[in-house]
Amino acid sequence: MVGLGILTLLFITTVIPAIAIEKPAIGNKTASRLLIKGKVAYESGKFSQAEEYWELAEHKFEQYGDRPHQALSLNYLSLANQELGKWQEADQYIDASLKLLQSTSTPKVLAQALNTQGNLRLSLGDGESALASWSSAEEIYRKVNDHLGIMGSKLNQAQALQQLGLYRRSQKMLEQLETELDREANPQMRVMGLRSLGNALQVAGDLEQSQAVLKESLSIAQELNLPQETSSILFSLGNTARSLHSYEAAIAFYEQAAARSTDSLTKVEAQLNQLSLLSRLEKPQIAEELISQVQSELVSLVPSRRSIYARVNLAKNLIDFNQHPAQTQKLLEKTIAQAQVIKDARGESYGLGILGRLDKQQQNLETAKQHTEAALLLATQINAEDIIYQWQWQLGRILQQQGDLQGAISAESGAVDSLEKIRGDLVAINPDAQYSFRESVEPIYGDLVGLLVSSNPDQDNLIQARDAMSVPLTTQQ
């Protein structure tokens, strides 16, 4: 059975800039402290708390007529709302920030706001608008000679190009970035740049190069004694090793990442990645102790998109190990409720879909159908094509078990159609990525072919089955 692969996010460079644009007026110091408190909360994954601090800061800066800091607060509010899945609010905040910045002379804040706008646009599937925002940000960073800003904007543009299926252009941009990083004198900036580049190369499917770049970044981070940066690089190395099917090596990298992390959520994410590989390698006894550790860590995490994903991932692992179904159901129900509180429709869809998967495993087919349909409805409402096909496929398999073959064909045909829409995001020019794509989605096409042939092997169904047997791998260059 193909893994759902549900909780993978495109890598996007979003750096919270320095708080102070200029020395604030005396009355603004309280608002500036609120900005800093929000930044700390945001970087700890406490996005709802960050939102509260930044709302207060924005109101105070507005009262004092401090437009640059007010614009910065609005920019931050957009970032927090993006993390919470509140896309309409995020859009309103970044629009308000950009309008304020039209009348101020703060180029770095304008560039950061454009980066935030690009992040939002890419999350909403508008790669062209994201590319335009990040290109504008790069121009501003070049004018003020901000090397880190230039590199971050170009890395982001590479991600947008990949979403648009323009893999050759993306690859060329990444190669240019690597050359620029070779000339970078600031070692800490070089560590950050190389890690970001390694992540981008992994997304693009250039796995061997990703590994080489990340190892170079790791060497410098260790030499500079940067524990959290070291942990993040080890995590990325684990992801690349996993994509290379070097599962034992990936587990070792995740173990090291968890051990060195100073951030509890990053530690949990590394442990969850270990668990998913232990499931694949069928090592339930080793996993049992790790499951207990993750459960204890999750208790203290504040509800946010990342923590919701972590809880859903734990539930998915428990299902894969076929352990503790009652406990898994409670975990998912609580997670879905948390997603509803923070209005994260994507996280709620994940929770409902995996709950449907648990129901299916327990042979509660009608409940499985209801939860999967609810997950699919939410995913459709937010145009999340990358998860729509997963729930369509799951629904088709449930309907097949219920004996509704026509309903199953309709659902799984929908899954194939959804895959067609996003194949440019899934298929890179690199052969390793093409193989990974084919390996991941062929079972969906195979299921549909089986249904079409077995249900009613007439001429139309045979033609549809023939078309479904060919998984398209061509992309726009």
Side-chain angles (χ1 to χ4, degrees), residues 222-240:
Q222 289 174 328
E223 187 177 329
L224 295 174
N225 191 27
L226 303 172
Q228 189 53 45
E229 194 66 31
T230 297
S231 172
S232 297
I233 298 165
L234 288 165
F235 189 95
S236 297
L237 278 165
N239 290 342
T240 299

Side-chain angles (χ1 to χ4, degrees), residues 61-135:
F61 284 128
E62 183 181 21
Q63 289 172 3
Y64 295 126
D66 187 337
R67 295 170 75 86
H69 280 88
Q70 184 187 356
L72 186 61
S73 303
L74 289 164
N75 176 23
Y76 287 175
L77 279 165
S78 180
L79 285 173
N81 277 272
Q82 287 178 49
E83 292 291 348
L84 295 168
K86 295 156 69 173
W87 304 109
Q88 185 176 353
E89 292 89 340
D91 196 28
Q92 291 169 349
Y93 281 128
I94 197 58
D95 281 350
S97 177
L98 287 167
K99 284 176 183 175
L100 277 176
L101 289 166
Q102 288 174 0
S103 59
T104 64
S105 56
T106 50
K108 284 193 176 183
V109 180
L110 176 58
Q112 177 62 24
L114 287 165
N115 269 336
T116 300
Q117 184 185 55
N119 184 39
L120 175 62
R121 294 289 175 259
L122 194 71
S123 297
L124 295 174
D126 189 350
E128 290 185 5
S129 293
L131 184 62
S133 294
W134 285 327
S135 296

Side-chain angles (χ1 to χ4, degrees), residues 32-228:
S32 296
R33 282 195 290 269
L34 287 167
L35 275 186
I36 293 168
K37 285 182 178 180
K39 180 174 184 284
V40 171
Y42 181 95
E43 291 176 345
S44 301
K46 300 174 182 177
F47 303 118
S48 295
Q49 190 179 91
E51 181 185 22
E52 291 173 7
Y53 284 129
W54 288 335
E55 280 179 344
L56 290 170
E58 192 270 331
H59 291 318
K60 286 188 176 295
F61 284 128
E62 183 181 21
Q63 289 172 3
Y64 295 126
D66 187 337
R67 295 170 75 86
H69 280 88
Q70 184 187 356
L72 186 61
S73 303
L74 289 164
N75 176 23
Y76 287 175
L77 279 165
S78 180
L79 285 173
N81 277 272
Q82 287 178 49
E83 292 291 348
L84 295 168
K86 295 156 69 173
W87 304 109
Q88 185 176 353
E89 292 89 340
D91 196 28
Q92 291 169 349
Y93 281 128
I94 197 58
D95 281 350
S97 177
L98 287 167
K99 284 176 183 175
L100 277 176
L101 289 166
Q102 288 174 0
S103 59
T104 64
S105 56
T106 50
K108 284 193 176 183
V109 180
L110 176 58
Q112 177 62 24
L114 287 165
N115 269 336
T116 300
Q117 184 185 55
N119 184 39
L120 175 62
R121 294 289 175 259
L122 194 71
S123 297
L124 295 174
D126 189 350
E128 290 185 5
S129 293
L131 184 62
S133 294
W134 285 327
S135 296
S136 298
E138 182 193 348
E139 289 177 14
I140 295 169
Y141 282 129
R142 287 194 181 280
K143 288 178 183 176
V144 297
N145 203 29
D146 184 331
H147 295 295
L148 183 59
I150 292 167
M151 285 189 289
S153 297
K154 291 182 78 170
L155 281 164
N156 286 337
Q157 289 174 65
Q159 303 309 303
L161 289 168
Q162 286 168 29
Q163 189 180 84
L164 293 168
L166 302 172
Y167 290 99
R168 289 194 189 278
R169 282 180 59 187
S170 175
Q171 189 172 27
K172 185 176 179 180
M173 183 170 283
L174 291 173
E175 288 169 354
Q176 181 186 350
L177 270 168
E178 190 171 8
T179 302
E180 290 178 11
L181 282 168
D182 284 340
R183 299 194 296 265
E184 178 57 56
N186 184 317
Q188 193 160 348
M189 186 182 292
R190 183 167 166 75
V191 168
M192 294 172 63
L194 286 170
R195 178 169 68 84
S196 296
L197 176 58
N199 287 340
L201 288 165
Q202 193 261 338
V203 172
D206 195 347
L207 303 178
E208 298 288 351
Q209 188 62 17
S210 168
Q211 196 170 59
V213 168
L214 288 169
K215 284 183 176 178
E216 183 180 355
S217 177
L218 178 65
S219 176
I220 302 169
Q222 289 174 328
E223 187 177 329
L224 295 174
N225 191 27
L226 303 172
Q228 189 53 45

Side-chain angles (χ1 to χ4, degrees), residues 398-465:
I398 293 166
L399 291 170
Q400 185 178 2
Q401 279 190 260
Q402 289 183 316
D404 183 359
L405 295 186
Q406 288 307 310
I409 288 172
S410 177
E412 296 200 20
S413 295
V416 168
D417 290 342
S418 297
L419 277 170
E420 289 287 302
K421 293 177 186 176
I422 63 170
R423 72 182 187 211
D425 299 334
L426 297 175
V427 188
I429 192 171
N430 186 280
D432 290 327
Q434 292 181 357
Y435 175 79
S436 224
F437 169 75
R438 188 183 291 276
E439 183 184 46
S440 296
V441 304
E442 271 189 344
I444 300 175
Y445 288 82
D447 274 1
L448 177 58
V449 169
L451 278 169
L452 289 166
V453 172
S454 64
S455 64
N456 182 19
D458 60 18
Q459 187 68 18
D460 290 341
N461 276 7
L462 290 173
I463 291 171
Q464 190 179 351

